[in-house]
Amino acid sequence: MKKVITYGTFDLFHEGHYNLLKRAKALGDYLIVGVTTEYYDMQRGKLNVVNPLLERVENVKKTGLADEIIVEDHEGQKPEDIQKMGVDIFTVGSDWTGIFDYLGEFCQVVYLDRTPEISSSILRADKYPIVQMGVVGSGRIAPRFLSEAKFVSGVNVGAVYNPNSQSAQEFGRSHELDAYWGDFREFLEQVDAIYIASPHETHHEYARAAIEMGRHVLCEKPLTFTVARANELYDLAGENDVVLMEGIKTAFCPGFMQMMNLARSGVIGEVRDVEACFSRITQLGLREMRDREYGGAFLEFGSYTLLPIFKLLGCKYESVEFDSILADNGIDLYSKIHFRFKNALAMSKTGIGVKSEGQLVIAGTKGYILAESPWWLTKSFEVRYEDPTRIDKYSPKFLGDGLRYEIADFVSKINGTEKMSYCLTKEESVAMAGVVERFMEERKRRGRA
Ligand code: C2G
């Protein structure tokens, strides 16, 4: 008798799950299905799981395909089960290809094609329909979005759009997505929501077209380059009753929120200064270095550094001064932006041709918070005081590359389970567009001088 085992959360049970179980069963004579506990999903960073364990087990049972159902509640359980139960084949969907190769030591490992379209539900009442998403752009960030989206329950990324047909097709093939090019509306018709990861200057146009067609939009930073355009998009989203979110992933990382709340709690007294730095030496051939109009350090990383400044000191600064080191082609290799608020100062430092210490320092009247690089993921930070021996250390939870938290928030907003936009408010997003607008004007003025 050939024994097959597979594992999953099986939340919001859909035909992707059903097909997987059917094919898994067909691989042998006896199918064991491991269903994850809430605790294990929390440990492995699977977010937004809606159905409780018993309901998920019940849904697997209803398929009639499982000969035995077990629960999976800890890391490292798979090899234990396989050996203990004498399993011949471990199988899982192709979205996990390569990840479970290590189980080859214990049994045969088979990755089954995942089901790309999972539009209708088969066993459950449609309280939360699966959000069908499409990715716009297939550059450097898009693959990261895909691998993080699989850790968010209730979302299925099934399509990609790129005006370049070859890029769209190649990306679609390698990530099992339906590829679209040419007519953008044709792509929009296939999805409920889009993630915009195309070059900066295309964000506004894609976002507007999608919102007008009633699609939710998660847009990479910067959303737009002017206050007027940012307001236009948020107003349009309100009129069309869709979610519009600027994808500044730091805002959604659990540790960043904790750090902001701690800074506001009074442990360091009144916040008087926020200094944030983000730099990455960038290769000469890359877009950030080449694009005279929309490249440069501040447009690339400024959303990260402005975020803690606006969160802690508000969006109404009294003055702002820009200073940059420009390359021959006019892009800023390094920029310092100095803000004055009523009772506080702030500094944003961004670099693509200058490397500095990527840290965030929040200075208060009683102490300060220091978050070292990569503070934008906020895996750890410290609260320090006048007394140098007193240091409170924090190591918040952080999994993957942080994008999953942003995607989870986006999906919750679409489903209406998360109404408040406190992680990143519209006001903060519009204020950032305001700084970008002034920065671009200043750079143009300096370029002419
Ligand atoms: N699946 C699929 N097609 C989809 C969605 C999911 O074939 N459109 C497959 C997944 O690849 C997995 C199974 O259905 O094999 C269960 O999916 P999830 O409930 O999302 O569970 P997952 O997070 O993939 O957990 O220990 C758990 C395992 O690692 C898999």
Side-chain angles (χ1 to χ4, degrees), residues 6-11 14 16-17 20 36 40 44 46 72 78 92-96 100 113-116 118 150 156:
T6 189
Y7 297 85
T9 306
F10 302 104
D11 188 35
H14 54 67
H17 296 142
L20 188 286
T36 56
Y40 181 49
R44 71 186 185 118
K46 179 113 180 185
E72 184 184 27
K78 290 183 179 82
V92 70
S94 53
D95 39 338
W96 293 98
F100 293 109
D113 280 349
R114 74 187 271 284
T115 309
I118 46 166
K150 72 172 186 246
N156 180 54

Side-chain angles (χ1 to χ4, degrees), residues 40 49 75 136 145 160 190 199 203 215 226 241 248 290 294 309 314 324 351 360 384 410 423:
Y40 181 49
V49 176
E75 193 68 52
V136 181
F145 180 81
V160 60
Q190 312 307 314
H203 291 178
R215 303 301 188 257
T226 66
D241 202 19
I248 304 174
R290 279 187 294 110
Y294 307 107
I309 297 175
S324 299
L360 169 67
R384 298 182 177 190
F410 181 63
C423 289

